[in-house]
Amino acid sequence: MHAAFAPYACWLDAFDGLSEVPDIAEINRVATTSRLSLPDGMALRFEAAPARRNGALAYERRISGDGVIEFRAGHWHDFANALVWLAFPLTKAALNAVHLREGRGPTANGRSRARDAATLVDEAGLIFACVDTDLIALLRAWQWRALFWARRDAVAQRVRAIVIGHGLLDRLRVPHRALTAQALIVDSEANDLDAAAAATIHAADFGPQRLTPLPIAALPGWDTERIGERLFDDRDVFRVKR
């Protein structure tokens, strides 16, 4: 199992691992036991998704209004979403709040910049918790080799990296080199990274500029090919920032 699943170990144990997608009744059993809820106390439950979904905003409104998270039976993507809700409910609720607050934006696709960022985090997000400004600067500058090879020991000691994008988590069941996260930099040493990430998302300036692409194979211990420094020679994956 990929290292990205480590933060979800206790939840996977509750579902007997990743052997198959649990049914809704089993997911709701775990959700009820863990008291999964929104910050206002509304209990959350999973229900079968309609055959034809009514759109992204309708999906988000059902969560906040009815406490319902739609779930497609047998879909690993939706099971990954359930795992993230169980492990990081404050972060997921913060993303939901962005969609509801922003509503339909003025852009061509009806999304504000904040909603674009919320969608990126929801699908491919990775919490990059770090208070070392030098490491953060290297990440923002896409200095992959300098950060993740030359300073890999510092990264291992000072960075906590947690995949919270359920689309990315799903794809990590069969990882490959080109998988890239959208790193949400959380300037915090707090043990409760769920609350810290939620606070970052709630910030007034939350938008795509707060995110940085990060090829996840660069992270210490996440190179499933185990080829070391040669990994960073692949410029199709580890691109130079213009």
Side-chain angles (χ1 to χ4, degrees):
M1 187 180 299
H2 193 277
F5 287 96
Y8 301 94
C10 65
W11 305 106
L12 289 171
D13 288 345
F15 295 116
D16 297 324
L18 286 172
S19 58
E20 61 183 13
V21 177
D23 61 26
I24 290 178
E26 182 66 8
I27 293 174
N28 278 326
R29 180 190 65 79
V30 174
T32 300
T33 300
S34 66
R35 298 181 179 178
L36 179 63
S37 63
L38 292 174
D40 65 4
M42 177 182 285
L44 292 170
R45 66 188 184 280
F46 295 85
E47 288 188 4
R52 185 173 182 176
R53 286 190 168 178
N54 296 318
L57 271 178
Y59 171 88
E60 300 293 345
R61 286 172 181 145
R62 286 199 76 191
I63 294 173
S64 65
D66 303 323
V68 170
I69 303 169
E70 295 176 3
F71 185 90
R72 295 169 295 178
H75 277 244
W76 286 104
H77 186 90
D78 287 13
F79 178 43
N81 186 44
L83 286 174
V84 182
W85 267 108
L86 289 165
F88 297 94
L90 296 177
T91 301
K92 293 288 278 187
L95 294 171
N96 174 254
V98 170
H99 287 294
L100 297 175
R101 182 185 72 236
E102 297 290 319
R104 292 194 63 81
T107 58
N109 66 357
R111 291 180 181 271
S112 68
R113 298 289 284 165
R115 284 194 69 203
D116 282 341
T119 300
L120 288 170
V121 173
D122 200 25
E123 288 292 336
L126 177 143
I127 296 172
F128 189 92
C130 179
V131 296
D132 188 317
T133 56
D134 290 339
L135 299 183
I136 291 172
L138 289 171
L139 174 65
R140 290 197 181 280
W142 299 11
Q143 295 296 306
W144 313 117
R145 194 185 303 263
L147 175 59
F148 293 111
W149 185 254
R151 303 203 61 185
R152 61 191 181 278
D153 291 339
V155 172
Q157 294 168 10
R158 301 174 194 168
V159 173
R160 293 174 67 187
I162 302 175
V163 172
I164 54 171
H166 62 278
L168 179 58
L169 195 64
D170 175 24
R171 296 181 72 184
L172 280 166
R173 293 185 299 114
V174 186
H176 59 85
R177 184 188 302 178
L179 285 176
T180 298
Q182 291 292 327
L184 177 70
I185 298 170
V186 177
D187 184 4
S188 175
E189 292 180 319
N191 290 327
D192 188 354
L193 284 185
D194 187 22
T200 302
I201 293 166
H202 281 305
D205 65 342
F206 176 68
Q209 77 283 354
R210 295 292 296 265
L211 307 177
T212 300
L214 196 172
I216 63 166
L219 289 161
W222 290 32
D223 172 17
T224 56
E225 298 171 273
R226 298 177 181 172
I227 60 174
E229 187 177 6
R230 289 188 296 114
L231 179 72
F232 301 96
D233 294 334
D234 187 346
R235 287 298 180 90
D236 289 332
V237 175
F238 297 95
R239 298 178 182 179
V240 176
K241 191 171 188 178
R242 294 183 179 179

